[in-house]
Amino acid sequence: MVHVVNRLASSLSGLHAHMSMPAMEGRQCEEDQQEETLQIQLQNLQRQEEEKPISNPVEAEDQDNKSFQKEECLGRDLHEVEEILGYNFENKSLLEQAFTHSSFSGDCNSYERLEYVGDAVLNLLFTKEHYFLYPDLPPGPLTRLRAANVDTEKLARTAIKHGLHRYLRHKKPLLMEQIQEFTVGISQYPLHSNGLIDAPKALADIVESSIGAVFIDSNSSMDTVWTVFKRLLEPIINPTTIGRHPVTELYELCQKRNMKVKFVDLWKEVMAFEVLVNDRQVGRGEYSLKKEIAHNRAAKNALENMGRILGDNYKDHIVEDR
């Protein structure tokens, strides 16, 4: 609209210049009418421009403001992330990208590609670390040990412990509530819950994307990445501290004691699972947001209740290991 107003004002100026020249009386009258019309249009447009509400501030901002926003996004907050990581980025846009969720609308790409890189780098780093640290450990236990240190819950704990979640840019309405629930949950399990609490994937994602960002920024230096993140990933789970998944533990226990275990899926009805051992209910688990968590909690509850509910029958089914 500003351009329209300027054009009208220019037309008026040209008309005044033309009227200063000698002209016939009829032509003078016609030009007077044109001037009056242009004046009315100009006044109306100027009034509309003054009264026009700014309904969308983003559209009202010019290129200079966009540049300022971009610079601000790369400023103080990301400098704080660098302090947490103990690493200064040559390419600051990598760090910005590492903390941008795909739901966030902006000029920056999401962290998905960096997360992909970070996931591969982290797995390789733990593979190398465990291979040399535990020379007598077979591949099976090595695989379980690596998985425990790189799974969603373990990495999400890292994000919470160091406050990295505060810098995640997103537009997911429920994420903050999920983070709060997770923060309360991990207080009950100092090292790992082994599938009993729901870890928001976005928290693990930003740890992996940060690893990917450091890897790319450091010219693919694995040593640099391990130096930066080994401290952040503490406490690292080792063969002594690794826990057992409750479902696996329940099946192994029942197999050793020659007992039949069955999970009853009540998810569609009441968001729950029940556990039957030798046709007697010994456990129940509920969780409304994720079926897997309810399943795991039912197994955990069964392990806690088997001795009390089955009593002597539980003892009678013990078989000797051969």
Side-chain angles (χ1 to χ4, degrees), residues 5-144:
V5 173
N6 290 338
R7 286 199 300 269
L8 287 174
S10 177
S11 298
L12 275 174
S13 176
L15 186 60
H16 288 156
H18 182 72
M19 288 176 60
S20 64
M21 300 174 61
M24 295 177 61
E25 183 177 348
R27 181 62 176 268
Q28 181 68 46
C29 179
E30 181 182 349
E31 290 175 345
D32 288 344
Q33 291 176 351
Q34 291 178 358
E35 180 183 9
E36 182 179 359
T37 300
L38 287 174
Q39 285 281 10
I40 293 173
Q41 291 178 350
L42 180 59
Q43 291 172 0
N44 288 337
L45 287 172
Q46 288 174 333
R47 183 170 59 253
Q48 292 174 15
E49 185 68 22
E50 292 173 355
E51 296 175 354
K52 180 182 177 181
I54 302 177
S55 57
N56 189 342
V58 174
E59 294 179 357
E61 291 174 329
D62 57 16
Q63 190 62 40
D64 289 339
N65 282 338
K66 289 181 180 179
S67 298
F68 173 76
Q69 289 179 339
K70 182 76 171 179
E71 182 178 349
E72 183 180 40
C73 186
L74 292 171
R76 180 183 58 83
D77 287 350
L78 295 186
H79 177 68
E80 293 175 1
V81 177
E82 287 182 319
E83 291 182 347
I84 293 173
L85 299 180
Y87 178 85
N88 293 321
F89 280 80
E90 293 291 334
N91 184 356
K92 304 293 185 183
S93 64
L94 284 172
L95 186 54
E96 179 189 17
Q97 184 178 338
F99 284 83
T100 303
H101 190 268
S102 58
S103 65
F104 185 82
S105 57
D107 296 333
C108 184
N109 294 327
S110 77
Y111 58 56
E112 292 176 348
R113 282 170 55 85
L114 289 176
E115 176 203 348
Y116 163 78
V117 173
D119 175 68
V121 170
L122 185 61
N123 274 274
L124 181 55
L125 285 170
F126 269 110
T127 299
K128 177 183 175 182
E129 177 76 1
H130 291 158
Y131 179 83
F132 291 105
L133 195 58
Y134 309 111
D136 298 325
L137 204 61
L142 282 173
T143 300
R144 289 191 291 272

Side-chain angles (χ1 to χ4, degrees), residues 12 37 49 55 69 84 94 145 152 175 210 233 250-251 263-264 304:
L12 275 174
T37 300
E49 185 68 22
S55 57
Q69 289 179 339
I84 293 173
L94 284 172
L145 191 60
T152 298
L175 182 57
S210 298
L233 293 169
L250 178 63
Y251 274 116
F263 283 87
V264 180
E304 295 170 346

